[in-house]
């Protein structure tokens, strides 16, 4: 704080709510580690004031900001440009302000792929993947898996219509049958042929278990990735590990999307482990 002056660059995150986000700790730790004259702040923006908030960030010259629930899709038409990653995912989690123009980008996909590699040594190319959930996180995951050459992806959601809509929206340009929607009733048929199971629902956030999910049906070599990261071992991760399966919570994805956003804004990568340590310090607090 004592380093701040008139030229200090300001970054931040918009969300509603935002107070529990770990991004301020992560990015400020990276700025400190690199000795940069910059600051990252949380901005609580209610949905009905998003347009005003984006205009304000632009006028105030905020250099870059993250976008979290519930603004990731709604912010898109308010920006001047979208990166191919943002268009593919249908969501923006990172905005860069360059010469007065706002560029929307998405680092959740690369964050997920990096975390799968780092935490589970999980190859995505050719993998048969089941994604649980059909919200924004599931969309980002499917787009990332398409880009990484996964073998086949099936989306399973409590509300089947949302899974079907996701498939209709994202299957353009993909090989026929590569992306499918299925109902929870079909899980017993699907699970024995899965290489990677990804939870992209909010189940587990408050310690809930997944009904209708018989992990015993997964092959021994299958891996389980839970995007939820509130509890260190979510119920899904704990049960998968009890069954001898490799499993990870979503903290690594949070860290990797943050590292990539930092690089997008500054051209620099934070020293390895700095953001992870800052994020882990907040584990136990609720998920954003
Ligand atoms: P979202 O758009 O609100 O979608 C929520 C999804 O969860 C929907 O598919 C919803 O199904 C499903 N769901 C909610 N409650 C359920 C229940 N009781 N039983 C079964 N399904 C249920 O949220 P999101 O942005 O996709 O985020 C999903 C999760 O991923 C959150 O926990 C979020 O924190 C996490 N996430 C983590 C990271 C990371 O960096 N690790 C990044 C992004 C998101 P319906 O369609 O039936 O409502």
């Amino acid at each position: 704080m004592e380093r701040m002056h008139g030229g200090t660059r300001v970054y931040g995150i918009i969300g509603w709510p935002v107070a529990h986000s770990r991004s301020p700790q992560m990015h400020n730790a990276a700025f400190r580690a690199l000795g940069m004259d910059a600051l990252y702040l949380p901005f609580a923006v209610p949905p009905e004031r998003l347009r005003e908030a984006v205009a304000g960030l632009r006028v105030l010259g905020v250099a870059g900001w993250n976008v979290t629930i519930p603004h990731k899709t709604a912010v898109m038409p308010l920006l001047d440009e979208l990166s191919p990653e943002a268009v593919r995912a249908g969501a923006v989690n990172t905005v860069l302000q360059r010469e007065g123009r706002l560029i929307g980008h998405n680092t959740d996909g690369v964050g997920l792929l990096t975390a799968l590699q780092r935490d589970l040594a999980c190859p995505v190319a050719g993998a048969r993947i089941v994604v649980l959930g059909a919200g924004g996180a599931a969309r980002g995951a499917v787009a990332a898996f398409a880009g990484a050459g996964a073998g086949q992806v099936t989306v399973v959601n409590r509300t089947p219509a949302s899974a079907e809509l996701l498939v209709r929206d994202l299957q353009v340009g993909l090989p026929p049958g590569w992306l499918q929607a299925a109902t929870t009733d079909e899980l017993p048929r699907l699970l024995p042929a899965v290489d990677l199971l990804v939870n992209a629902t909010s189940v587990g956030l408050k310690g809930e278990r997944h009904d209708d999910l018989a992990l015993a049906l997964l092959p021994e070599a299958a891996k389980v990735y839970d995007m939820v990261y509130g509890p260190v071992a979510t119920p899904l991760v704990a049960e998968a590990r009890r069954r001898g399966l490799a499993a990870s919570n979503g903290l690594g994805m949070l860290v990797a999307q943050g590292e990539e956003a930092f690089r997008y804004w500054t051209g620099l990568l934070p020293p390895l482990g700095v953001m992870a340590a800052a994020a882990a310090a907040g584990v136990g607090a609720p998920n954003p």
Side-chain angles (χ1 to χ4, degrees), residues 68-70 72 93 108 111-112 115 132-140 155-163 166 184 199-205 208-212 225-230 249-258 286-288:
T68 189
I69 292 172
K72 286 187 180 185
N93 79 329
D108 279 335
L112 174 60
L132 304 174
R139 282 177 180 256
V155 177
V156 178
N157 194 45
R158 173 180 66 176
T159 310
S162 307
L166 182 158
T184 47
N199 176 41
T201 75
S202 33
V203 176
L205 218 50
E208 319 92 299
R209 306 177 71 81
H210 289 258
D211 299 328
D212 313 320
Y225 194 81
D226 193 348
M227 286 196 195
V228 171
Y229 54 82
N249 78 359
L251 196 64
M253 177 179 170
L254 176 79
V255 170
Q257 66 75 30
N287 234 10

Side-chain angles (χ1 to χ4, degrees), residues 89-166:
V92 162
N93 79 329
T94 302
V95 178
L96 167 70
Q97 174 148 215
R98 191 163 55 205
E99 290 159 12
R101 285 180 67 74
L102 302 181
I103 306 161
H105 184 44
N106 191 304
T107 67
D108 279 335
V110 70
L112 174 60
L113 298 175
T114 302
L116 286 170
Q117 186 56 43
R118 278 184 190 162
D119 298 341
L120 291 176
C122 182
V124 167
R128 297 160 301 171
I129 302 173
V130 164
V131 175
L132 304 174
R139 282 177 180 256
V142 169
F145 292 146
Q152 193 190 19
V153 174
T154 306
V155 177
V156 178
N157 194 45
R158 173 180 66 176
T159 310
S162 307
E164 284 156 21
L165 183 65
L166 182 158

Side-chain angles (χ1 to χ4, degrees), residues 17-79:
V18 79
H20 46 267
S21 169
R22 309 217 183 123
S23 294
Q25 290 97 310
M26 287 171 23
H27 287 276
N28 285 320
F31 289 139
R32 270 195 304 276
L34 290 168
M36 292 173 70
D37 183 10
L39 180 70
Y40 185 108
L41 296 166
F43 300 112
V45 176
E48 67 279 9
R49 304 201 69 183
L50 179 63
R51 177 178 291 275
E52 279 174 88
V54 170
L57 292 162
R58 187 198 290 270
V59 173
L60 295 173
V62 174
W65 62 91
N66 286 125
V67 182
T68 189
I69 292 172
H71 303 312
K72 286 187 180 185
T73 304
V75 78
M76 295 176 80
L78 305 176
L79 306 174

